[in-house]
Amino acid sequence: MWLLLVLIQISTGCRSYYRQMGAVRYSFYQNDLIKAESSLQKVREKRNNGKSDDLICLETATLKMCAGDFREAERLLRKTRDSFDRLENQKARKAGETTLSMLSDDMAISYAGEDYEKIMIRAMLAISSLMMDGSDAVAYSNQINLKQQEIISKSEINPDTGKKSKESYRFVSLGPYIRGILNDASALNQQEVIRSFTQVCEWSPNFYGGKEYLERAKQGYRPQKGHGVVHVFLLLGEGPHKVEVDAPVTQMSLLLADQIVSATSKHSVPPTFASVPIAAVLDTPCPYESADVLINGTKRAQTETLVDVNRMAVEQFEVNKPWIIARAVARRVVKKATVYGAKEATDTDSFTGELLFDIAGLMWEAAEEADTRCWSTLPGKIQVARLELPAGRHQISLTPNTRPYIPPNAQRYVPGVSVAWEGGNSPSGPPHEKNSRATPGGKTIQVEDGRDTFVFAYIARDGLIGDIHVGEAGSCPF
């Protein structure tokens, strides 16, 4: 009995990571990065068991990117990437924590990231590198694809199909996209550009920009003399989050198991009144579908979704849901078996003794909490836009838009033709400078002849978070 009470004490407590991150997320989406970081430090101090430290590093990395500190963001992302990889390979530690989790819940396990988070770490590393000197951008882009392949190869065999359970995962096209734009306009790398954007089109068939890039590469197009290319990377909206939900089928299965065991055994089994909690991944609606890119006050482009993070996370959860439920069932069975074993060990035969053990068992089961830990400051989407501009200084600003990207006219697909925006979507959100610390009128960028310039921004809820940032070195050569 005392052992059960100790286990209950271990299991209880307000430990929900997502609830504790409420103040951080509120300040973050209100564009108060200083307060968000201060609140994040309080979360770090509360969660003193070290099992969520890597996750807090990821939250900090997002804040650093929005503040323009891409070097620190890269350091934190690399640290977490390597830590997650180590946790995957530390079988002894993993086995020990898994055993403990069966007596409490998954909060006892060091967080090693969801599959979509492991992919997004490498995606954010690639973008951070582009915003510096771009020297590691291709390597990080390759890591995106390699990690996806590794996740699939290590997944369990689905007993119904006989195939790897994660073979249905949708591949993220950010990796080949970045490789393609870094090789774009180079006559020596034309075939590599074609290969890259062919892959982009295969993995993201609804991404219009991929078709445009591929057609340009096939025609051997190069930007006209006296112009440079501006690549906008926009993080848009709030990303996926986890909530605790019940597994009703599991509840019925366990209820039947209770009745069977209780009817055929010497001792009763605690009845299943407490629910079996699992952490479901949900998407977060965004008021915006895209953003208009204004150059010197005139709309010249519109961002388009390359990576739908919400969709990726929810689809992966649906693939893994049977395994998640199975784990919850296993945990409940272990707890019931422990209660039954305690009755056997103490040779309990009185009604009062049985009742006390059953009550303790119910309290133990009710103390379970679904593991809602997740990278809560991820964006809902990664969007991109490409502009060819004359060399010189320009003002760039972004206006949130409630409609998705729609090619405005056929001229959009004519390589090398630069036209003012006609038709298409009308902006409906406030210009970012009304809701941020950005300089009035937008951000000044220096476009250089024959060079790429990279721009980064994060827009969610009411507008821009942090500022519009231009690549550290100004531009990267073609």
Side-chain angles (χ1 to χ4, degrees), residues 124-141:
M124 293 297 201
L125 278 168
I127 294 174
S128 294
S129 180
L130 287 177
M131 296 304 295
M132 294 185 288
D133 59 8
S135 60
D136 295 322
V138 171
Y140 291 139
S141 297

mmCIF file with all atom_site columns, all heavy atoms in Angstrom, residues 124-141:
data_model
loop_
_atom_site.group_PDB
_atom_site.id
_atom_site.type_symbol
_atom_site.label_atom_id
_atom_site.label_alt_id
_atom_site.label_comp_id
_atom_site.label_asym_id
_atom_site.label_entity_id
_atom_site.label_seq_id
_atom_site.pdbx_PDB_ins_code
_atom_site.Cartn_x
_atom_site.Cartn_y
_atom_site.Cartn_z
_atom_site.occupancy
_atom_site.B_iso_or_equiv
_atom_site.pdbx_formal_charge
_atom_site.auth_seq_id
_atom_site.auth_comp_id
_atom_site.auth_asym_id
_atom_site.auth_atom_id
_atom_site.pdbx_PDB_model_num
ATOM 1   N N   . MET A 1 124 ? 15.207 24.836 -39.810 1.00 0.00 ? 124 MET A N   1
ATOM 2   C CA  . MET A 1 124 ? 15.553 26.118 -39.197 1.00 0.00 ? 124 MET A CA  1
ATOM 3   C C   . MET A 1 124 ? 17.059 26.362 -39.252 1.00 0.00 ? 124 MET A C   1
ATOM 4   O O   . MET A 1 124 ? 17.509 27.502 -39.396 1.00 0.00 ? 124 MET A O   1
ATOM 5   C CB  . MET A 1 124 ? 15.061 26.161 -37.750 1.00 0.00 ? 124 MET A CB  1
ATOM 6   C CG  . MET A 1 124 ? 13.552 26.170 -37.617 1.00 0.00 ? 124 MET A CG  1
ATOM 7   S SD  . MET A 1 124 ? 12.792 27.632 -38.342 1.00 0.00 ? 124 MET A SD  1
ATOM 8   C CE  . MET A 1 124 ? 11.229 27.647 -37.494 1.00 0.00 ? 124 MET A CE  1
ATOM 9   N N   . LEU A 1 125 ? 17.847 25.295 -39.134 1.00 0.00 ? 125 LEU A N   1
ATOM 10  C CA  . LEU A 1 125 ? 19.298 25.437 -39.266 1.00 0.00 ? 125 LEU A CA  1
ATOM 11  C C   . LEU A 1 125 ? 19.660 25.924 -40.665 1.00 0.00 ? 125 LEU A C   1
ATOM 12  O O   . LEU A 1 125 ? 20.526 26.796 -40.831 1.00 0.00 ? 125 LEU A O   1
ATOM 13  C CB  . LEU A 1 125 ? 19.982 24.105 -38.982 1.00 0.00 ? 125 LEU A CB  1
ATOM 14  C CG  . LEU A 1 125 ? 20.219 23.751 -37.519 1.00 0.00 ? 125 LEU A CG  1
ATOM 15  C CD1 . LEU A 1 125 ? 20.627 22.289 -37.372 1.00 0.00 ? 125 LEU A CD1 1
ATOM 16  C CD2 . LEU A 1 125 ? 21.280 24.661 -36.907 1.00 0.00 ? 125 LEU A CD2 1
ATOM 17  N N   . ALA A 1 126 ? 19.002 25.374 -41.691 1.00 0.00 ? 126 ALA A N   1
ATOM 18  C CA  . ALA A 1 126 ? 19.289 25.783 -43.067 1.00 0.00 ? 126 ALA A CA  1
ATOM 19  C C   . ALA A 1 126 ? 18.949 27.251 -43.279 1.00 0.00 ? 126 ALA A C   1
ATOM 20  O O   . ALA A 1 126 ? 19.719 27.998 -43.896 1.00 0.00 ? 126 ALA A O   1
ATOM 21  C CB  . ALA A 1 126 ? 18.511 24.904 -44.046 1.00 0.00 ? 126 ALA A CB  1
ATOM 22  N N   . ILE A 1 127 ? 17.801 27.682 -42.759 1.00 0.00 ? 127 ILE A N   1
ATOM 23  C CA  . ILE A 1 127 ? 17.403 29.091 -42.916 1.00 0.00 ? 127 ILE A CA  1
ATOM 24  C C   . ILE A 1 127 ? 18.348 30.002 -42.144 1.00 0.00 ? 127 ILE A C   1
ATOM 25  O O   . ILE A 1 127 ? 18.756 31.059 -42.636 1.00 0.00 ? 127 ILE A O   1
ATOM 26  C CB  . ILE A 1 127 ? 15.948 29.281 -42.442 1.00 0.00 ? 127 ILE A CB  1
ATOM 27  C CG1 . ILE A 1 127 ? 14.997 28.521 -43.374 1.00 0.00 ? 127 ILE A CG1 1
ATOM 28  C CG2 . ILE A 1 127 ? 15.586 30.753 -42.396 1.00 0.00 ? 127 ILE A CG2 1
ATOM 29  C CD1 . ILE A 1 127 ? 13.546 28.519 -42.908 1.00 0.00 ? 127 ILE A CD1 1
ATOM 30  N N   . SER A 1 128 ? 18.723 29.599 -40.925 1.00 0.00 ? 128 SER A N   1
ATOM 31  C CA  . SER A 1 128 ? 19.654 30.406 -40.129 1.00 0.00 ? 128 SER A CA  1
ATOM 32  C C   . SER A 1 128 ? 20.985 30.571 -40.851 1.00 0.00 ? 128 SER A C   1
ATOM 33  O O   . SER A 1 128 ? 21.582 31.647 -40.845 1.00 0.00 ? 128 SER A O   1
ATOM 34  C CB  . SER A 1 128 ? 19.873 29.773 -38.756 1.00 0.00 ? 128 SER A CB  1
ATOM 35  O OG  . SER A 1 128 ? 18.700 29.794 -37.988 1.00 0.00 ? 128 SER A OG  1
ATOM 36  N N   . SER A 1 129 ? 21.466 29.494 -41.480 1.00 0.00 ? 129 SER A N   1
ATOM 37  C CA  . SER A 1 129 ? 22.728 29.569 -42.219 1.00 0.00 ? 129 SER A CA  1
ATOM 38  C C   . SER A 1 129 ? 22.618 30.541 -43.386 1.00 0.00 ? 129 SER A C   1
ATOM 39  O O   . SER A 1 129 ? 23.543 31.323 -43.639 1.00 0.00 ? 129 SER A O   1
ATOM 40  C CB  . SER A 1 129 ? 23.129 28.181 -42.713 1.00 0.00 ? 129 SER A CB  1
ATOM 41  O OG  . SER A 1 129 ? 24.341 28.241 -43.431 1.00 0.00 ? 129 SER A OG  1
ATOM 42  N N   . LEU A 1 130 ? 21.492 30.513 -44.093 1.00 0.00 ? 130 LEU A N   1
ATOM 43  C CA  . LEU A 1 130 ? 21.295 31.457 -45.201 1.00 0.00 ? 130 LEU A CA  1
ATOM 44  C C   . LEU A 1 130 ? 21.351 32.897 -44.723 1.00 0.00 ? 130 LEU A C   1
ATOM 45  O O   . LEU A 1 130 ? 21.830 33.783 -45.438 1.00 0.00 ? 130 LEU A O   1
ATOM 46  C CB  . LEU A 1 130 ? 19.942 31.206 -45.872 1.00 0.00 ? 130 LEU A CB  1
ATOM 47  C CG  . LEU A 1 130 ? 19.796 29.964 -46.746 1.00 0.00 ? 130 LEU A CG  1
ATOM 48  C CD1 . LEU A 1 130 ? 18.368 29.852 -47.267 1.00 0.00 ? 130 LEU A CD1 1
ATOM 49  C CD2 . LEU A 1 130 ? 20.782 30.007 -47.917 1.00 0.00 ? 130 LEU A CD2 1
ATOM 50  N N   . MET A 1 131 ? 20.866 33.128 -43.511 1.00 0.00 ? 131 MET A N   1
ATOM 51  C CA  . MET A 1 131 ? 20.846 34.492 -42.977 1.00 0.00 ? 131 MET A CA  1
ATOM 52  C C   . MET A 1 131 ? 22.209 34.919 -42.455 1.00 0.00 ? 131 MET A C   1
ATOM 53  O O   . MET A 1 131 ? 22.383 36.080 -42.059 1.00 0.00 ? 131 MET A O   1
ATOM 54  C CB  . MET A 1 131 ? 19.798 34.601 -41.871 1.00 0.00 ? 131 MET A CB  1
ATOM 55  C CG  . MET A 1 131 ? 18.374 34.367 -42.355 1.00 0.00 ? 131 MET A CG  1
ATOM 56  S SD  . MET A 1 131 ? 17.908 35.468 -43.715 1.00 0.00 ? 131 MET A SD  1
ATOM 57  C CE  . MET A 1 131 ? 17.959 37.052 -42.869 1.00 0.00 ? 131 MET A CE  1
ATOM 58  N N   . MET A 1 132 ? 23.171 33.998 -42.453 1.00 0.00 ? 132 MET A N   1
ATOM 59  C CA  . MET A 1 132 ? 24.554 34.361 -42.126 1.00 0.00 ? 132 MET A CA  1
ATOM 60  C C   . MET A 1 132 ? 25.356 34.327 -43.428 1.00 0.00 ? 132 MET A C   1
ATOM 61  O O   . MET A 1 132 ? 25.049 35.062 -44.352 1.00 0.00 ? 132 MET A O   1
ATOM 62  C CB  . MET A 1 132 ? 25.093 33.442 -41.041 1.00 0.00 ? 132 MET A CB  1
ATOM 63  C CG  . MET A 1 132 ? 24.351 33.630 -39.705 1.00 0.00 ? 132 MET A CG  1
ATOM 64  S SD  . MET A 1 132 ? 25.021 32.662 -38.328 1.00 0.00 ? 132 MET A SD  1
ATOM 65  C CE  . MET A 1 132 ? 24.515 31.018 -38.785 1.00 0.00 ? 132 MET A CE  1
ATOM 66  N N   . ASP A 1 133 ? 26.364 33.489 -43.508 1.00 0.00 ? 133 ASP A N   1
ATOM 67  C CA  . ASP A 1 133 ? 27.150 33.447 -44.738 1.00 0.00 ? 133 ASP A CA  1
ATOM 68  C C   . ASP A 1 133 ? 26.706 32.345 -45.687 1.00 0.00 ? 133 ASP A C   1
ATOM 69  O O   . ASP A 1 133 ? 27.204 32.224 -46.799 1.00 0.00 ? 133 ASP A O   1
ATOM 70  C CB  . ASP A 1 133 ? 28.638 33.291 -44.418 1.00 0.00 ? 133 ASP A CB  1
ATOM 71  C CG  . ASP A 1 133 ? 28.935 32.018 -43.618 1.00 0.00 ? 133 ASP A CG  1
ATOM 72  O OD1 . ASP A 1 133 ? 28.007 31.191 -43.441 1.00 0.00 ? 133 ASP A OD1 1
ATOM 73  O OD2 . ASP A 1 133 ? 30.079 31.860 -43.164 1.00 0.00 ? 133 ASP A OD2 1
ATOM 74  N N   . GLY A 1 134 ? 25.762 31.512 -45.257 1.00 0.00 ? 134 GLY A N   1
ATOM 75  C CA  . GLY A 1 134 ? 25.229 30.463 -46.114 1.00 0.00 ? 134 GLY A CA  1
ATOM 76  C C   . GLY A 1 134 ? 26.159 29.292 -46.334 1.00 0.00 ? 134 GLY A C   1
ATOM 77  O O   . GLY A 1 134 ? 25.851 28.395 -47.129 1.00 0.00 ? 134 GLY A O   1
ATOM 78  N N   . SER A 1 135 ? 27.272 29.243 -45.616 1.00 0.00 ? 135 SER A N   1
ATOM 79  C CA  . SER A 1 135 ? 28.282 28.213 -45.871 1.00 0.00 ? 135 SER A CA  1
ATOM 80  C C   . SER A 1 135 ? 27.800 26.807 -45.533 1.00 0.00 ? 135 SER A C   1
ATOM 81  O O   . SER A 1 135 ? 28.258 25.825 -46.127 1.00 0.00 ? 135 SER A O   1
ATOM 82  C CB  . SER A 1 135 ? 29.561 28.528 -45.090 1.00 0.00 ? 135 SER A CB  1
ATOM 83  O OG  . SER A 1 135 ? 29.298 28.569 -43.692 1.00 0.00 ? 135 SER A OG  1
ATOM 84  N N   . ASP A 1 136 ? 26.887 26.687 -44.568 1.00 0.00 ? 136 ASP A N   1
ATOM 85  C CA  . ASP A 1 136 ? 26.411 25.367 -44.158 1.00 0.00 ? 136 ASP A CA  1
ATOM 86  C C   . ASP A 1 136 ? 24.991 25.082 -44.636 1.00 0.00 ? 136 ASP A C   1
ATOM 87  O O   . ASP A 1 136 ? 24.408 24.053 -44.267 1.00 0.00 ? 136 ASP A O   1
ATOM 88  C CB  . ASP A 1 136 ? 26.460 25.239 -42.630 1.00 0.00 ? 136 ASP A CB  1
ATOM 89  C CG  . ASP A 1 136 ? 27.882 25.284 -42.091 1.00 0.00 ? 136 ASP A CG  1
ATOM 90  O OD1 . ASP A 1 136 ? 28.769 24.713 -42.753 1.00 0.00 ? 136 ASP A OD1 1
ATOM 91  O OD2 . ASP A 1 136 ? 28.096 25.881 -41.026 1.00 0.00 ? 136 ASP A OD2 1
ATOM 92  N N   . ALA A 1 137 ? 24.417 25.978 -45.421 1.00 0.00 ? 137 ALA A N   1
ATOM 93  C CA  . ALA A 1 137 ? 23.014 25.836 -45.810 1.00 0.00 ? 137 ALA A CA  1
ATOM 94  C C   . ALA A 1 137 ? 22.769 24.555 -46.601 1.00 0.00 ? 137 ALA A C   1
ATOM 95  O O   . ALA A 1 137 ? 21.773 23.858 -46.381 1.00 0.00 ? 137 ALA A O   1
ATOM 96  C CB  . ALA A 1 137 ? 22.564 27.056 -46.616 1.00 0.00 ? 137 ALA A CB  1
ATOM 97  N N   . VAL A 1 138 ? 23.655 24.227 -47.531 1.00 0.00 ? 138 VAL A N   1
ATOM 98  C CA  . VAL A 1 138 ? 23.479 23.020 -48.336 1.00 0.00 ? 138 VAL A CA  1
ATOM 99  C C   . VAL A 1 138 ? 23.590 21.774 -47.457 1.00 0.00 ? 138 VAL A C   1
ATOM 100 O O   . VAL A 1 138 ? 22.809 20.826 -47.592 1.00 0.00 ? 138 VAL A O   1
ATOM 101 C CB  . VAL A 1 138 ? 24.500 22.968 -49.489 1.00 0.00 ? 138 VAL A CB  1
ATOM 102 C CG1 . VAL A 1 138 ? 24.456 21.613 -50.185 1.00 0.00 ? 138 VAL A CG1 1
ATOM 103 C CG2 . VAL A 1 138 ? 24.230 24.080 -50.492 1.00 0.00 ? 138 VAL A CG2 1
ATOM 104 N N   . ALA A 1 139 ? 24.554 21.776 -46.530 1.00 0.00 ? 139 ALA A N   1
ATOM 105 C CA  . ALA A 1 139 ? 24.725 20.621 -45.636 1.00 0.00 ? 139 ALA A CA  1
ATOM 106 C C   . ALA A 1 139 ? 23.476 20.410 -44.785 1.00 0.00 ? 139 ALA A C   1
ATOM 107 O O   . ALA A 1 139 ? 22.997 19.279 -44.632 1.00 0.00 ? 139 ALA A O   1
ATOM 108 C CB  . ALA A 1 139 ? 25.946 20.836 -44.744 1.00 0.00 ? 139 ALA A CB  1
ATOM 109 N N   . TYR A 1 140 ? 22.931 21.495 -44.224 1.00 0.00 ? 140 TYR A N   1
ATOM 110 C CA  . TYR A 1 140 ? 21.717 21.378 -43.417 1.00 0.00 ? 140 TYR A CA  1
ATOM 111 C C   . TYR A 1 140 ? 20.543 20.922 -44.281 1.00 0.00 ? 140 TYR A C   1
ATOM 112 O O   . TYR A 1 140 ? 19.695 20.144 -43.828 1.00 0.00 ? 140 TYR A O   1
ATOM 113 C CB  . TYR A 1 140 ? 21.383 22.714 -42.756 1.00 0.00 ? 140 TYR A CB  1
ATOM 114 C CG  . TYR A 1 140 ? 22.351 23.139 -41.679 1.00 0.00 ? 140 TYR A CG  1
ATOM 115 C CD1 . TYR A 1 140 ? 22.766 24.468 -41.559 1.00 0.00 ? 140 TYR A CD1 1
ATOM 116 C CD2 . TYR A 1 140 ? 22.851 22.222 -40.752 1.00 0.00 ? 140 TYR A CD2 1
ATOM 117 C CE1 . TYR A 1 140 ? 23.636 24.865 -40.571 1.00 0.00 ? 140 TYR A CE1 1
ATOM 118 C CE2 . TYR A 1 140 ? 23.730 22.615 -39.754 1.00 0.00 ? 140 TYR A CE2 1
ATOM 119 C CZ  . TYR A 1 140 ? 24.126 23.942 -39.670 1.00 0.00 ? 140 TYR A CZ  1
ATOM 120 O OH  . TYR A 1 140 ? 24.996 24.338 -38.684 1.00 0.00 ? 140 TYR A OH  1
ATOM 121 N N   . SER A 1 141 ? 20.482 21.413 -45.514 1.00 0.00 ? 141 SER A N   1
ATOM 122 C CA  . SER A 1 141 ? 19.402 21.017 -46.420 1.00 0.00 ? 141 SER A CA  1
ATOM 123 C C   . SER A 1 141 ? 19.460 19.522 -46.709 1.00 0.00 ? 141 SER A C   1
ATOM 124 O O   . SER A 1 141 ? 18.426 18.845 -46.748 1.00 0.00 ? 141 SER A O   1
ATOM 125 C CB  . SER A 1 141 ? 19.497 21.806 -47.728 1.00 0.00 ? 141 SER A CB  1
ATOM 126 O OG  . SER A 1 141 ? 19.335 23.186 -47.497 1.00 0.00 ? 141 SER A OG  1
#
